[in-house]
Amino acid sequence: MEAELAGMRVDYRRDELDVGDLASTWHEQLVRWLAEATEAGVVEPNAMVLATAGDDCFPSTRTVLAKDIDERGVVFYTNYTSAKSHDLRITRRAAATFPWYLQQRQVGLRGGVERVTPEETRAYWVTRPRGSQLGAWASAQSTYVRDRAALDACLAAAERRFADSAEVPVPPHWGGWRIVPESVEFWQGRVNRMHDRLRFEQNGIDRTWRVQRLAP
Ligand SMILES: Cc1cc2nc3c(=O)[nH]c(=O)nc-3n(C[C@H](O)[C@H](O)[C@H](O)COP(=O)(O)O)c2cc1C
């Protein structure tokens, strides 16, 4: 297997990226690439790998779904008592990567985080299927569960609890986080590992943005 792994490689020659190709803002460029990923048939194109660190400085990663992107940042929804939310509350920082291997692209961003308003959370919540809503009530995300039966019992309890309610309310422990980027890097694979890396970087003092090219 070692030998097979060593021999695995793909030649990247699908596309290129130069400064003149970029939209004028990071979020317009991200929305553009997200649309292109969707069009190209990338599976779950809005999935991003979210990195957080705990108070022990240990990093953790997991996938979440981006549900809103605009000039304010990138929003995802989760359980506010989960391991990731615990990290975010402590450090107020996150990084995330959209891995679009099909297109030989990735976008990496990092920045501060803030909780979205309850109104924003509710606006998204009502678009979720009832089953997902009940699942959010049933799962104390990131905590130990005795076995599958115990988990199924929690869902059944949530179903009973809201059986007579046409609408399932937003759980108090659930909502959105917004990553407010200070840098966003657009990466396009190129031949000979001479990839294009263009990074929008925000000046911490006057908040203006500039684009820098990085060596691959
Ligand atoms: C494709 C995909 C999408 C996911 N989307 C979310 C999401 O939007 N929110 C979420 O809380 N967990 C999502 N998950 C589950 C997380 O990866 C993770 O298991 C969970 O949030 C618990 O993480 P934590 O214990 O580090 O907090 C997703 C997993 C996959 C594979």
Side-chain angles (χ1 to χ4, degrees), residues 43-44 46-48 50 52 60-67 75-87 124 128 141-143 174-175:
V43 175
E44 304 226 49
N46 60 330
M48 55 181 183
L50 173 77
T52 61
S60 307
T61 63
R62 79 291 282 158
T63 307
V64 294
L65 298 175
K67 290 292 175 180
V75 174
F76 64 92
Y77 288 89
T78 193
N79 186 308
Y80 282 140
T81 62
S82 65
K84 75 179 86 50
S85 291
H86 179 72
D87 286 356
Y124 170 64
R128 284 167 63 94
Q141 194 175 58
S142 315
T143 61
W174 192 92

Side-chain angles (χ1 to χ4, degrees), residues 8-202:
M8 283 181 189
R9 63 175 60 83
V10 172
D11 241 357
Y12 298 148
R13 49 179 78 244
R14 283 180 65 120
D15 214 337
E16 48 192 69
L17 183 67
D18 209 345
V19 177
D21 304 323
L22 289 174
S24 52
T25 62
W26 68 266
H27 51 94
E28 288 165 302
Q29 182 62 32
L30 180 53
V31 167
R32 180 188 293 175
W33 268 23
L34 190 53
E36 291 177 13
T38 309
E39 179 72 16
V42 169
V43 175
E44 304 226 49
N46 60 330
M48 55 181 183
V49 178
L50 173 77
T52 61
D55 43 10
D56 55 2
C57 296
F58 238 106
S60 307
T61 63
R62 79 291 282 158
T63 307
V64 294
L65 298 175
K67 290 292 175 180
D68 195 25
I69 298 170
D70 63 19
E71 71 284 354
R72 294 171 298 168
V74 177
V75 174
F76 64 92
Y77 288 89
T78 193
N79 186 308
Y80 282 140
T81 62
S82 65
K84 75 179 86 50
S85 291
H86 179 72
D87 286 356
L88 294 174
R89 252 194 317 279
I90 290 172
T91 66
R92 294 276 151 189
R93 288 184 173 82
T97 298
F98 291 86
W100 295 320
Y101 308 127
L102 183 64
Q103 297 170 294
Q104 304 171 350
R105 285 178 176 174
Q106 65 179 347
V107 177
L109 56 97
R110 46 180 281 169
V113 292
E114 60 188 28
R115 275 167 67 147
V116 308
T117 62
E119 292 72 32
E120 271 184 274
T121 288
R122 200 186 129 61
Y124 170 64
W125 173 261
V126 297
T127 70
R128 284 167 63 94
R130 186 179 175 91
S132 309
Q133 293 177 338
L134 293 171
W137 275 100
S139 166
Q141 194 175 58
S142 315
T143 61
Y144 294 118
V145 180
R146 191 178 64 244
D147 53 21
R148 180 73 215 189
L151 197 56
D152 291 341
C154 290
L155 182 61
E159 281 165 352
R160 280 195 303 277
R161 177 172 175 183
F162 297 108
D164 297 330
S165 316
E167 282 179 20
V168 179
V170 183
H173 58 261
W174 192 92
W177 286 100
R178 174 176 286 109
I179 308 174
V180 181
E182 54 187 46
S183 77
V184 185
E185 178 184 324
F186 293 84
W187 186 101
Q188 176 72 60
R190 299 290 303 275
V191 286
N192 300 327
R193 300 296 186 251
M194 294 297 282
H195 317 300
D196 287 323
R197 298 180 62 188
L198 296 180
R199 192 157 76 191
F200 287 82
E201 294 176 354
Q202 190 178 40

